[in-house]
Amino acid sequence: MATNNILANGDNWILTTPTARSTHGAVASQHRMAAQAGAAQLDAGGNAIDAIVATAYALNAVEPWMCGLGGAGFMVIWLAKEQRAVALDFQGVLAGDTRLEDYPVDPNLPATPMGFPGVVDNANIEGYRSITVPGAVAGLDHALARFGTRPRSAVMAPAIALAERGLHVDWFTSLQIGVCARTLARDPVSNSIYLPGGHPATPESRLRIPNLADTLREIAEDGAATFYRGALAEKIVGDLQAGGSRISREDLARYEVLEYEPMVAEHRGYTLYTPGEVSGGLRQREMLAHALEAMPIPLEKPTPETWLAYAEALEHCWRRHKIRNGVLSPTDSGVDGEQGACTSSMSSVDAEGNMVALTYTLLNRFGSGVTLPSTGMLMNDSVSYFDPRPGYPTTMVGGKRINSSNMCPTVVVKEGEARFSVGASGGNLIMPAVTQVAALMMDFGMSVEEAVHHPRLDASYRGSVRVDPRFDAETLTRLGKCFELEMAQQLVFPKLYACVTAVSRDPETGECTGINDPTQPIGGGAIPAAFTLESLDGNGPKVRP
């Protein structure tokens, strides 16, 4: 067994996080205030879709480095009365005038988060040329109009109030800014917001993002129409083109959300719904099938053989995925550099049993680093989802939609009742984490709280398997006989086992639970209550959604 043991210099604590519980529904998010904004919709009589949309919009103001109006993603919805699941794809789209010559490969640069070659001046991951047409506003508006119950203005009220207050900086926010300071410094607007005086904003300060509240208010009034075809679209395209982007008014106007039946996987009497082959869903289905074959009858609790089966299944499905995407030949060893990426995951459930899993992203932390001056929108760097070389399944082509993502929002149903939903942020780490949490609940009857807190491993056919040292010695020994092991503690930063968010519902008692990963200090679950926006002195206004 070869190991890289860093425990001697590890953090000297064990991370745990509380679970929110209520029979009236629950919301979980990577930021507690966003979860509270969503749970307020349940308190006001709304459903799980209202709650998830409110949560997603609120994240623009409290976790702008992960997701927002300038991002894109997937949503899976379980409609309890209709007994059916729906998937929404609101992924980004390349500008119609995208040209490969704008992205010459630079062999001296590291690969993108998706494993594709770097290009000159990091043009595919930083700055205006790295931006795709964002789908977030279209996706959220579509979900609310089709399946929500509350007015857009009410659902977005907490997000607007948070944006008007400004971003309260704590130590975790300072960390996020500091990690990306070089990229943020390239953009004059982002530099002025996040690097006051030329340095990352310090804790106990407050950052105001110019025009963000007005942009949210305009969307609340006019919906996606203004964003893609109206006055807001004109501002967006004006800023983009002034910065060198090829995105046009026609590109925005052509954007559409894809609504379809989700991919289905069956596992031990449960049905798992994911967005399908363009997400992490296909790898999830392959992983579960491979593990089920190796472990047809699970024991009462996980054993070393369980974790070997999970690790081998993850290696198997990741190898197939890399071959399909053209980043690995069938004879390749699979050794590559793992790239970090950042996203936001959230889940909601209501008292009627409707359940939602949503994951959306700017791709890298702070996306392209670009904040549009007229709207305050932080923009994605999703051009790096595409290969700058010709002839591959993911090669850049004008108007092409993102067709390969790690995001894996999952809703799990048994006997006609949604039991839990789970998603995660973390690039390549997402699918392994989501699928392990789901497998622990389905294979061993763990609660969502037990599964989220359980040690995890990470494997993506990269030449080694990362393991949490909290595993017992027998498990580590068994895994070490088959894999090169990296011993790595669960940390606040970097998050080496993804950042999981989940909700569950017990159909017998009606109890709903919400939980966010213990490594996320600002994350958490929330139960229905009026949304209270507290200012730094604790006397802020109460916002009734």
Side-chain angles (χ1 to χ4, degrees), residues 514-537:
I515 190 170
N516 184 238
D517 203 270
T519 64
Q520 182 76 352
I522 60 174
I527 61 175
F531 182 73
T532 301
L533 179 60
E534 295 183 354
S535 63
L536 294 180
D537 61 8

Side-chain angles (χ1 to χ4, degrees), residues 372-397:
L372 300 186
S374 298
T375 62
M377 290 166 44
L378 191 60
M379 300 303 292
N380 67 79
D381 65 326
S382 295
V383 167
S384 58
Y385 270 115
F386 298 91
D387 200 318
R389 303 166 299 178
Y392 289 89
T394 51
T395 293
M396 297 178 190
V397 176

Side-chain angles (χ1 to χ4, degrees), residues 40 64 70 82 93 119 123 229 235 258 285 305 323 327 380-381 384 412 416 420-421 434 442 480 486 517:
E82 300 178 32
V93 175
V119 305
R229 295 176 295 280
K235 294 179 190 177
L258 305 181
R285 186 165 70 179
E305 294 303 318
I323 292 172
V327 297
N380 67 79
D381 65 326
S384 58
V412 181
F420 64 92
S421 70
V434 168
M442 296 183 294
E486 305 169 54
D517 203 270

Side-chain angles (χ1 to χ4, degrees), residues 226-248:
T226 186
F227 191 97
Y228 294 93
R229 295 176 295 280
L232 195 52
E234 187 172 350
K235 294 179 190 177
I236 293 168
V237 172
D239 285 347
L240 286 171
Q241 294 187 348
S245 170
R246 294 189 183 276
I247 293 174
S248 67

Side-chain angles (χ1 to χ4, degrees), residues 88-248:
L88 300 181
D89 175 330
F90 49 97
Q91 285 283 64
V93 175
L94 288 171
D97 192 28
T98 296
R99 305 173 189 179
L100 276 178
E101 58 263 32
D102 289 342
Y103 305 95
V105 171
D106 184 342
N108 296 316
L109 290 176
T112 71
M114 297 300 292
F116 304 131
V119 305
V120 173
D121 196 36
N122 286 322
N124 58 344
I125 60 172
E126 295 179 359
Y128 281 84
R129 286 287 175 89
S130 69
I131 299 168
T132 61
V133 176
V137 173
L140 297 177
D141 208 42
H142 182 99
L144 189 63
R146 288 272 289 125
F147 308 110
T149 63
R150 308 207 66 225
R152 189 190 308 112
S153 58
V155 169
M156 294 185 65
I160 294 169
L162 286 165
E164 288 176 336
R165 181 199 70 164
L167 175 63
H168 176 59
V169 179
D170 54 18
W171 69 268
F172 189 70
T173 302
S174 292
L175 170 64
Q176 305 307 308
I177 296 170
V179 169
C180 297
R182 184 193 62 80
T183 300
L184 293 169
R186 291 184 57 167
D187 180 67
V189 181
S190 294
N191 182 68
S192 68
I193 296 169
Y194 299 105
L195 303 171
H199 303 284
T202 56
E204 302 307 318
S205 61
R206 191 182 303 189
L207 304 180
R208 297 197 179 276
I209 303 175
N211 301 314
L212 178 60
D214 289 338
T215 298
L216 289 165
R217 191 175 290 108
E218 189 169 345
I219 295 169
E221 292 173 357
D222 299 319
T226 186
F227 191 97
Y228 294 93
R229 295 176 295 280
L232 195 52
E234 187 172 350
K235 294 179 190 177
I236 293 168
V237 172
D239 285 347
L240 286 171
Q241 294 187 348
S245 170
R246 294 189 183 276
I247 293 174
S248 67

Side-chain angles (χ1 to χ4, degrees), residues 430-459:
I430 292 174
M431 191 284 298
V434 168
T435 308
Q436 283 174 82
V437 168
L440 288 172
M441 296 178 72
M442 296 183 294
D443 288 345
F444 302 102
M446 288 189 187
S447 68
V448 68
E449 184 175 23
E450 291 170 326
V452 168
H453 279 94
H454 200 284
R456 298 193 288 270
L457 56 79
D458 182 72

Side-chain angles (χ1 to χ4, degrees), residues 271-329:
T271 302
L272 297 89
Y273 296 99
T274 61
E277 295 189 16
V278 294
S279 73
L282 179 57
R283 276 166 284 167
Q284 181 188 85
R285 186 165 70 179
E286 291 174 341
M287 183 274 190
L288 290 172
H290 195 277
L292 185 64
E293 184 176 350
M295 190 174 55
I297 302 176
L299 301 177
E300 183 177 341
K301 61 182 181 179
T303 68
E305 294 303 318
T306 301
W307 293 103
L308 178 62
Y310 286 173
E312 289 177 339
L314 286 169
E315 291 285 275
H316 168 78
C317 72
W318 266 98
R319 181 175 185 274
R320 290 169 61 92
H321 171 71
K322 291 182 176 183
I323 292 172
R324 284 191 296 263
N325 270 9
V327 297
L328 182 74
S329 73

